[in-house]
Amino acid sequence: MAYDLITMGRIGVDLYPLQTGVPLPQVTSFGKFLGGSATNVAVAAARLGRDTAVITRTGEDPFGEYLHQALRDFGVDDRWVTPVPGLATPITFCEVFPPDDFPLYFYRRPKAPDLEIDAHELDLEAIREAGIFWVTGTGLSEEPSRTATLAALAHRAKAGTTVFDLDWRPMFWTDPAAARPFYEEALRHTTVAVGNLDEVEVATGVREPHAAAEALLAAGVELAVVKQGPKGVLAVHRDGTTAEVPPLPVNVLNGLGAGDAFGGSLCHGLLEGWDLERIMRHANAAGAIVASRLECSSAMPTAEEIEAAVTAGEVR
């Protein structure tokens, strides 16, 4: 079977405080959730009725077992989620200071298993046949994941829709200059690039949204999506179509995971063949809904919830 969406990248356990506005040293209780950007995108799209799978790796430990169980519960195929003996499943903590401060603490040392994805173990035909294939910038940060990511992109050769989530995490790189050549190589093989202002600057050297979108198009993509935070989202297609959509009003509880909800809805809209503005409005709404909730994966909205938010013009 051909999947609607295959994502490739991070997975881990999110341990989020159940108290808001409290620093980690004073937090007394946590919730445990499936996490990792690429994984959350697959969950978000599955919540919208899509057949999804994720390519990643976990530790050979109880947290790894939990992630398999969570993926199956969310309807995401886990056949390409494999253990790495000797490495621990990553854990991520955050602090929750609404509306706009959510520090993240990644525990991925000495190395995260999802960076041990090997090119020789990829199901390249499944990757090529998927409606959408989604990769992330973190997957380029270390070997063998870097070679595996670029090999998958090269084999797919822009068949269907190939999305590069720029996903810049400075703690995974020595400096932005080290990342840019690999970002440029990935952009050559992708049809859609998605990133916020910091991420597009790393990829292109340009921060102004319209100029950055044009730089991404010049790098080889067909559609550039630039997330501008409080100014909303800008999408520019190579055919000249442009959509600039403001954010939906929302009482933010936890902004983490909003970008992954955006990504899952973006994939759904692309697969549906919607026009660019409709895709952006629904993706914006999906992100806003998750920002109003504590968790990430289990907070991903249904199509009905997104439609209600778009219709209302706000998240209620």
Side-chain angles (χ1 to χ4, degrees):
M1 85 178 237
Y3 292 88
D4 292 326
L5 170 67
I6 296 176
T7 68
M8 179 174 170
R10 286 203 313 275
I11 194 170
V13 176
D14 289 343
L15 293 176
Y16 285 0
L18 299 181
Q19 300 129 294
T20 62
V22 179
L24 276 181
Q26 281 73 55
V27 172
T28 58
S29 56
F30 296 84
K32 180 182 67 175
F33 308 102
L34 171 73
S37 179
T39 303
N40 281 339
V41 170
V43 170
R47 187 64 59 86
L48 297 174
R50 294 297 173 181
D51 293 322
T52 72
V54 60
I55 301 168
T56 190
R57 307 197 73 182
T58 70
E60 201 169 43
D61 53 28
F63 275 140
E65 294 174 14
Y66 160 71
L67 294 176
H68 277 278
Q69 176 185 324
L71 285 168
R72 292 191 290 266
D73 288 346
F74 286 127
V76 177
D77 196 321
D78 64 344
R79 71 180 62 195
W80 297 306
V81 181
T82 57
V84 181
L87 291 180
T89 298
I91 296 173
T92 303
F93 289 90
C94 80
E95 294 175 299
V96 181
F97 297 107
D100 58 4
D101 187 19
F102 308 102
L104 276 171
Y105 304 90
F106 292 98
Y107 290 77
R108 292 169 57 87
R109 296 298 176 190
K111 189 176 186 180
D114 54 61
L115 293 174
E116 284 291 319
I117 299 172
D118 192 300
H120 298 95
E121 298 173 357
L122 295 175
D123 187 336
L124 292 174
E125 288 313 302
I127 288 170
R128 186 174 177 86
E129 292 170 4
I132 295 179
F133 179 51
W134 178 289
V135 301
T136 74
T138 297
L140 299 173
S141 63
E142 289 190 41
E143 294 290 4
S145 172
R146 177 185 299 149
T147 293
T149 300
L150 294 174
L153 290 172
H155 183 84
R156 184 167 169 86
K158 295 190 176 183
T161 299
T162 306
V163 183
F164 180 24
D165 174 7
L166 302 179
D167 184 41
W168 169 248
R169 302 287 180 175
M171 67 284 295
F172 301 156
W173 295 85
T174 54
D175 61 72
R180 188 165 299 155
F182 302 114
Y183 274 57
E184 290 173 347
E185 178 65 16
L187 287 168
R188 289 181 51 241
H189 298 290
T190 53
T191 61
V192 180
V194 183
N196 61 30
L197 295 177
D198 290 337
E199 292 166 338
V200 297
E201 185 175 18
V202 168
T204 68
V206 181
R207 188 173 182 86
E208 195 283 320
H210 289 270
E214 292 300 326
L216 290 168
L217 295 177
V221 306
E222 300 295 317
L223 173 63
V225 179
V226 181
K227 293 182 281 189
Q228 307 175 77
K231 292 186 178 179
V233 61
L234 168 69
V236 181
H237 196 279
R238 183 178 296 279
D239 66 9
T241 306
T242 300
E244 193 157 10
V245 176
L248 254 62
V250 59
N251 291 322
V252 174
L253 176 59
N254 183 359
L256 303 173
D260 304 331
F262 181 102
S265 182
L266 169 67
C267 291
H268 178 65
L270 290 169
L271 289 164
E272 286 292 303
W274 291 346
D275 66 77
L276 194 55
E277 182 164 340
R278 183 181 182 189
I279 291 172
M280 292 302 115
R281 288 194 181 280
H282 280 71
N284 250 6
I289 291 168
V290 171
S292 73
R293 300 170 176 174
L294 173 64
E295 65 274 23
C296 295
S297 53
S298 55
M300 295 303 170
T302 64
E304 292 75 20
E305 289 173 322
I306 296 172
E307 195 63 55
V310 170
T311 301
E314 63 179 341
V315 176
R316 294 175 175 169

